[in-house]
Structure formats: structure tokens, C-alpha cells
Amino acid sequence: MKILLYRWKAYNQFDIIRNLEKRGHVVEDIMGEMLNFEVDDAFASRFEDRMDIGNFDLVMSVNYFPIISDICQRKNIRYVSWCCDSPISTMHHESVFNSVNTIFTFDKFDQMIFEEMGAPVYYLPLCVDTDRVSQIIANDNSGKFYADLSFVGSMYNKNSYDNLYEHFPEYMKGYFDAVIKLQTEVHERYLLDDALDADMLEELSKYFVLDKTDRSFSDLDLIFSTTVLSYKIANVERRKLLTRLSLLCDVNVYTDDEDADFVKAHNCGTADYWSEAPLIFNRSKINLNLTLRSIRSGIPLRVWDILGAGGFCITNYQPELPLYFEDGVNIVWFKNTAELIEKIKYYLSHEEERRAIAKRGQELVTQYHDYSGRFDCMAEIVDGL
């Protein structure tokens, strides 16, 4: 099969290309920034020209793009999207029902919403290429990246909430201050559905203008909770937790906010996903994953990456974790800050147990959660893949 893959800044797209080629497919990629995910005549023209020249059997992307789906619909070429973020606002669009679509998402909660609508959206967890990761680790002799605890991820310091907050009346500031504080302390429950009731959404609409086209069926609740409030919660939570943990042990933070101060933690700047992140995960005694609150049930890519590198992973609880892992056997999860601190102290002082959990986690994902298996699942729905 000849496949055209739209390439952007998604982390796992090169693993996807590599493993599709291992299955015997010919994969070509196309790049180019979209000015708008729905309508961009210049992008569409370039994309269609490439499709005409290449005579492709299938178009693929990481995450869903309405403009690509509409192009494929016009040309009657299958479009496969594998989403690594959730929820994706661009999926709340009329094009999601296009007959050429096959969309996979790693979040079962999100998938069920679209299944009830009748959209061609299927559940498929993310995974890891342990062969590639193992080669990177085996070939590195730098002796870098050792730490008691490491965190790799964004601080979401550039979030639109801070700009909006300046214009809120005092009672709204107090309300959202309380919501953010409570949600940062509770990891096993999603509280934002209750926080954004009809009265608050009506008031919020005076300060937050939702820019969308007639074909979009996203709403203020979805956009504000996932792209505004969820990012601010992550910003507050991550700063607070990492600062607190820095008083317990040696902490390295690899993040996009190089000016962030975490008291005693080392702000190491960003880590290259391909050449450095596997080494960090492998050489840190503990790797912390903090999932965005907007990911309702699924397991984010970071968890798979940590386990695939042979790292010990402690993560906030997600409803889908027990479907694939056992707490204290091949991964460790927590449901509140007190439990996180208690478990970090315990596993730092129990090295053999910690190493055994990391080893079992790596063995599990290597055997059952690789790209070959995921593409086999896709092929049950997409003939020829």
C-alpha cells in the first residue's frame, strides 16, 4: 500500500512511518503549516497536487484534521487518523462523519462520545517502539541524565487563562481559583463538568469569545475546559508538585519554561524526544507522569515511552490503567498528593523492588504493546493496512 502521511510536530510520527515500512508499505510524507484546520486554500491546493502526483492508496495523520478529511472525501481516498491528544477540538466538526474517515483515539471516554454520534471513531491505545528506544540507550556512553526523580513535560506557562483572568470580576476569579486548587489536589476524579454549569458558562461567554465556523459543533464548555482551564490546572499543579518534591530528593525537570523556578529542582530546559528522553527515562530512579485533566480515561504517550525505555513510572491514576497494568507490579499510580509523596519515599528506599517493577513494565510493553500489534488492530478495520 502507498501511504501519504501528513507530518507535523507530533512525537510518534517517525515511529509510525518506520513501522508501516516494516509491514511493507511505501510511506511518503508531506509537510506544511495550516493557517486554519478547516479552510486553507493554499494548503489544500498543495496537498491535492501531491495526492494527484503520488497516486496514493491512503492518507494518514497523527491527530485529526478536517481540511485533510474533506480533501480525501472529494477524491474518495481513505483517511486514517490516529490521535495522540484528547480531546481534539477539530474532531467536533461535520467532517468527522465523512465516509472516507477511520479515526482512532486512545481515550475510551472520548471514543464513546463519537460512537454515540455515529462517527467512525474507534478505540486504540498508544504504544512504544522498544527496538528503537533500546538502540538509543545501548549506543549512549555519555553518563548523563541520572537523577532520583525526573519529569519531562510542558509547564503550560503560555496559556490563555492568565489573559482572561485579568478581565474576570472578583467573584469569578475566586470561583476559578477554588476550582483550580481543588482539581490539583484530586487526581482520580474530573471535577470540571460540575464546575462549568449553565449559569457559569453564560457568565463566561461575556469574557471568552468562541471562534468557530458553522460546520463546527464544539462549544464553550469543551473549548474552555480543555484548552484553557485544563492547561492552567496543569501549570499550577506541575509547579507546585515539582517544587514540593524537590525538597524530598534530587529532581530534574525537563521543560519548555526555562525560567521556571522549582526551588531545589534542576530546571534542565527541554529534552530532545528522540535522542535524550529515552536516556532520561532509563537512568532516572523514578519518572513522574502527570496527565492533563482533559484526558478523561486514556493513557498518554509519556507512560508508554517511560516503560519502553525500562524506566520506573509513577503516574496519576487514569481509569484505563487497570486494563493494561497492575499497580505495584509493572507500574505505580497515585490518586492524591499525599499518596504520591509516600510512594516516592518508599520506592527510593527500596531499589530492588523499584528495579523489578521497571523491568516487568518494559517486558509487558515490549511483548504486548508495540506498533506491530497496534497496526494489526487497525488492519481489522482498515483493509490492507
Side-chain angles (χ1 to χ4, degrees), residues 160-185:
S160 55
Y161 178 85
D162 291 335
N163 294 330
L164 286 170
Y165 188 81
E166 297 178 3
H167 304 286
F168 288 165
E170 290 303 315
Y171 79 93
M172 283 186 69
K173 289 181 179 179
Y175 181 80
F176 283 116
D177 285 345
V179 168
I180 291 169
K181 183 178 186 299
L182 184 58
Q183 185 68 91
T184 58
E185 295 172 353

Short mmCIF file of all heavy atoms in Angstrom, two decimals, residues 160-185:
data_model
loop_
_atom_site.label_atom_id
_atom_site.label_comp_id
_atom_site.label_asym_id
_atom_site.label_seq_id
_atom_site.Cartn_x
_atom_site.Cartn_y
_atom_site.Cartn_z
N SER A 160 -3.87 30.78 27.77
CA SER A 160 -4.76 31.94 27.58
C SER A 160 -5.55 32.28 28.85
O SER A 160 -6.13 33.36 28.93
CB SER A 160 -5.73 31.67 26.42
OG SER A 160 -6.44 30.48 26.63
N TYR A 161 -5.56 31.37 29.82
CA TYR A 161 -6.31 31.62 31.05
C TYR A 161 -5.82 32.88 31.76
O TYR A 161 -6.62 33.67 32.27
CB TYR A 161 -6.20 30.42 31.99
CG TYR A 161 -6.92 30.62 33.31
CD1 TYR A 161 -8.28 30.35 33.43
CD2 TYR A 161 -6.24 31.09 34.43
CE1 TYR A 161 -8.94 30.54 34.63
CE2 TYR A 161 -6.89 31.27 35.64
CZ TYR A 161 -8.24 31.00 35.74
OH TYR A 161 -8.89 31.20 36.93
N ASP A 162 -4.51 33.08 31.81
CA ASP A 162 -3.94 34.22 32.53
C ASP A 162 -4.41 35.54 31.94
O ASP A 162 -4.66 36.51 32.67
CB ASP A 162 -2.41 34.14 32.52
CG ASP A 162 -1.89 32.99 33.37
OD1 ASP A 162 -2.61 32.57 34.29
OD2 ASP A 162 -0.78 32.51 33.10
N ASN A 163 -4.54 35.60 30.62
CA ASN A 163 -5.03 36.82 29.98
C ASN A 163 -6.52 37.05 30.28
O ASN A 163 -6.95 38.18 30.51
CB ASN A 163 -4.81 36.75 28.47
CG ASN A 163 -3.34 36.75 28.10
OD1 ASN A 163 -2.51 37.33 28.81
ND2 ASN A 163 -2.99 36.09 27.01
N LEU A 164 -7.29 35.97 30.25
CA LEU A 164 -8.71 36.08 30.56
C LEU A 164 -8.95 36.50 32.00
O LEU A 164 -9.84 37.31 32.30
CB LEU A 164 -9.41 34.74 30.30
CG LEU A 164 -9.65 34.32 28.86
CD1 LEU A 164 -10.12 32.88 28.81
CD2 LEU A 164 -10.69 35.24 28.21
N TYR A 165 -8.14 35.95 32.88
CA TYR A 165 -8.32 36.15 34.33
C TYR A 165 -8.31 37.63 34.70
O TYR A 165 -9.05 38.06 35.60
CB TYR A 165 -7.21 35.41 35.06
CG TYR A 165 -7.35 35.36 36.57
CD1 TYR A 165 -8.17 34.42 37.18
CD2 TYR A 165 -6.63 36.25 37.38
CE1 TYR A 165 -8.29 34.36 38.56
CE2 TYR A 165 -6.75 36.19 38.76
CZ TYR A 165 -7.57 35.25 39.35
OH TYR A 165 -7.68 35.19 40.72
N GLU A 166 -7.52 38.40 33.99
CA GLU A 166 -7.41 39.84 34.29
C GLU A 166 -8.75 40.56 34.12
O GLU A 166 -9.00 41.59 34.76
CB GLU A 166 -6.37 40.49 33.38
CG GLU A 166 -4.96 39.95 33.59
CD GLU A 166 -3.97 40.58 32.63
OE1 GLU A 166 -4.40 41.47 31.86
OE2 GLU A 166 -2.79 40.19 32.64
N HIS A 167 -9.61 40.01 33.26
CA HIS A 167 -10.88 40.68 32.95
C HIS A 167 -12.06 40.11 33.75
O HIS A 167 -13.16 40.67 33.68
CB HIS A 167 -11.18 40.56 31.44
CG HIS A 167 -10.08 41.10 30.58
ND1 HIS A 167 -9.87 42.46 30.42
CD2 HIS A 167 -9.13 40.48 29.85
CE1 HIS A 167 -8.84 42.65 29.61
NE2 HIS A 167 -8.37 41.46 29.25
N PHE A 168 -11.86 39.04 34.47
CA PHE A 168 -12.93 38.45 35.26
C PHE A 168 -13.30 39.35 36.44
O PHE A 168 -12.42 39.97 37.05
CB PHE A 168 -12.52 37.09 35.82
CG PHE A 168 -12.43 35.98 34.80
CD1 PHE A 168 -11.78 34.80 35.12
CD2 PHE A 168 -13.03 36.09 33.56
CE1 PHE A 168 -11.70 33.77 34.20
CE2 PHE A 168 -12.95 35.08 32.63
CZ PHE A 168 -12.28 33.91 32.95
N PRO A 169 -14.57 39.42 36.80
CA PRO A 169 -14.95 40.09 38.05
C PRO A 169 -14.42 39.27 39.24
O PRO A 169 -14.07 38.10 39.10
CB PRO A 169 -16.47 40.10 38.01
CG PRO A 169 -16.84 38.99 37.07
CD PRO A 169 -15.74 38.91 36.06
N GLU A 170 -14.38 39.89 40.40
CA GLU A 170 -13.75 39.26 41.56
C GLU A 170 -14.39 37.92 41.92
O GLU A 170 -13.70 36.98 42.30
CB GLU A 170 -13.79 40.21 42.76
CG GLU A 170 -12.87 41.41 42.61
CD GLU A 170 -11.43 41.01 42.38
OE1 GLU A 170 -10.95 40.11 43.10
OE2 GLU A 170 -10.78 41.58 41.47
N TYR A 171 -15.71 37.83 41.81
CA TYR A 171 -16.36 36.58 42.21
C TYR A 171 -15.97 35.43 41.27
O TYR A 171 -15.83 34.27 41.70
CB TYR A 171 -17.87 36.74 42.27
CG TYR A 171 -18.59 36.71 40.94
CD1 TYR A 171 -19.10 35.52 40.43
CD2 TYR A 171 -18.75 37.88 40.20
CE1 TYR A 171 -19.76 35.49 39.21
CE2 TYR A 171 -19.40 37.86 38.99
CZ TYR A 171 -19.91 36.67 38.49
OH TYR A 171 -20.55 36.66 37.29
N MET A 172 -15.77 35.73 39.98
CA MET A 172 -15.34 34.69 39.04
C MET A 172 -13.89 34.29 39.30
O MET A 172 -13.53 33.11 39.20
CB MET A 172 -15.50 35.16 37.59
CG MET A 172 -16.93 35.13 37.08
SD MET A 172 -17.06 35.53 35.32
CE MET A 172 -16.30 34.09 34.57
N LYS A 173 -13.06 35.26 39.64
CA LYS A 173 -11.67 34.93 39.99
C LYS A 173 -11.64 33.99 41.19
O LYS A 173 -10.92 32.99 41.19
CB LYS A 173 -10.90 36.21 40.30
CG LYS A 173 -10.61 37.10 39.10
CD LYS A 173 -9.82 38.33 39.51
CE LYS A 173 -9.51 39.21 38.32
NZ LYS A 173 -8.76 40.44 38.71
N GLY A 174 -12.43 34.33 42.20
CA GLY A 174 -12.47 33.49 43.39
C GLY A 174 -13.01 32.10 43.09
O GLY A 174 -12.51 31.09 43.63
N TYR A 175 -14.01 32.04 42.23
CA TYR A 175 -14.62 30.75 41.87
C TYR A 175 -13.61 29.85 41.16
O TYR A 175 -13.43 28.68 41.55
CB TYR A 175 -15.83 31.00 40.97
CG TYR A 175 -16.54 29.74 40.55
CD1 TYR A 175 -17.45 29.11 41.41
CD2 TYR A 175 -16.33 29.17 39.30
CE1 TYR A 175 -18.11 27.96 41.03
CE2 TYR A 175 -16.99 28.01 38.91
CZ TYR A 175 -17.88 27.41 39.79
OH TYR A 175 -18.53 26.26 39.42
N PHE A 176 -12.94 30.39 40.15
CA PHE A 176 -11.99 29.57 39.40
C PHE A 176 -10.71 29.30 40.20
O PHE A 176 -10.09 28.24 40.02
CB PHE A 176 -11.67 30.21 38.04
CG PHE A 176 -12.76 30.02 37.04
CD1 PHE A 176 -13.46 31.11 36.53
CD2 PHE A 176 -13.11 28.75 36.60
CE1 PHE A 176 -14.48 30.93 35.61
CE2 PHE A 176 -14.12 28.56 35.68
CZ PHE A 176 -14.82 29.65 35.18
N ASP A 177 -10.33 30.19 41.07
CA ASP A 177 -9.21 29.91 41.98
C ASP A 177 -9.51 28.65 42.81
O ASP A 177 -8.65 27.79 42.99
CB ASP A 177 -8.96 31.09 42.92
CG ASP A 177 -8.28 32.26 42.24
OD1 ASP A 177 -7.75 32.06 41.13
OD2 ASP A 177 -8.28 33.37 42.83
N ALA A 178 -10.74 28.58 43.29
CA ALA A 178 -11.14 27.43 44.12
C ALA A 178 -11.21 26.14 43.29
O ALA A 178 -10.79 25.07 43.75
CB ALA A 178 -12.49 27.70 44.77
N VAL A 179 -11.73 26.26 42.06
CA VAL A 179 -11.83 25.09 41.17
C VAL A 179 -10.44 24.54 40.87
O VAL A 179 -10.19 23.33 40.95
CB VAL A 179 -12.56 25.46 39.87
CG1 VAL A 179 -12.41 24.34 38.84
CG2 VAL A 179 -14.03 25.73 40.13
N ILE A 180 -9.52 25.42 40.52
CA ILE A 180 -8.15 25.00 40.18
C ILE A 180 -7.47 24.37 41.38
O ILE A 180 -6.83 23.32 41.27
CB ILE A 180 -7.35 26.21 39.65
CG1 ILE A 180 -7.88 26.63 38.28
CG2 ILE A 180 -5.86 25.87 39.58
CD1 ILE A 180 -7.33 27.95 37.79
N LYS A 181 -7.63 25.00 42.54
CA LYS A 181 -7.00 24.46 43.75
C LYS A 181 -7.52 23.05 44.06
O LYS A 181 -6.74 22.13 44.37
CB LYS A 181 -7.26 25.38 44.94
CG LYS A 181 -6.58 24.95 46.24
CD LYS A 181 -6.84 25.96 47.36
CE LYS A 181 -6.07 25.61 48.61
NZ LYS A 181 -6.44 24.29 49.16
N LEU A 182 -8.83 22.88 43.96
CA LEU A 182 -9.42 21.58 44.29
C LEU A 182 -9.01 20.51 43.28
O LEU A 182 -8.64 19.39 43.67
CB LEU A 182 -10.94 21.71 44.33
CG LEU A 182 -11.73 20.45 44.74
CD1 LEU A 182 -11.30 19.99 46.13
CD2 LEU A 182 -13.22 20.74 44.71
N GLN A 183 -9.02 20.85 41.98
CA GLN A 183 -8.69 19.85 40.97
C GLN A 183 -7.22 19.44 41.03
O GLN A 183 -6.88 18.29 40.75
CB GLN A 183 -9.04 20.37 39.58
CG GLN A 183 -8.84 19.35 38.47
CD GLN A 183 -9.80 18.18 38.52
OE1 GLN A 183 -10.87 18.20 37.93
NE2 GLN A 183 -9.42 17.12 39.23
N THR A 184 -6.34 20.35 41.40
CA THR A 184 -4.92 19.99 41.51
C THR A 184 -4.66 19.03 42.66
O THR A 184 -3.65 18.33 42.67
CB THR A 184 -4.04 21.23 41.72
OG1 THR A 184 -4.46 21.94 42.89
CG2 THR A 184 -4.10 22.16 40.52
N GLU A 185 -5.59 18.97 43.62
CA GLU A 185 -5.40 18.08 44.76
C GLU A 185 -6.10 16.73 44.59
O GLU A 185 -5.86 15.80 45.36
CB GLU A 185 -5.92 18.77 46.03
CG GLU A 185 -5.13 20.02 46.41
CD GLU A 185 -5.76 20.81 47.54
OE1 GLU A 185 -6.89 20.45 47.93
OE2 GLU A 185 -5.15 21.78 48.00
#
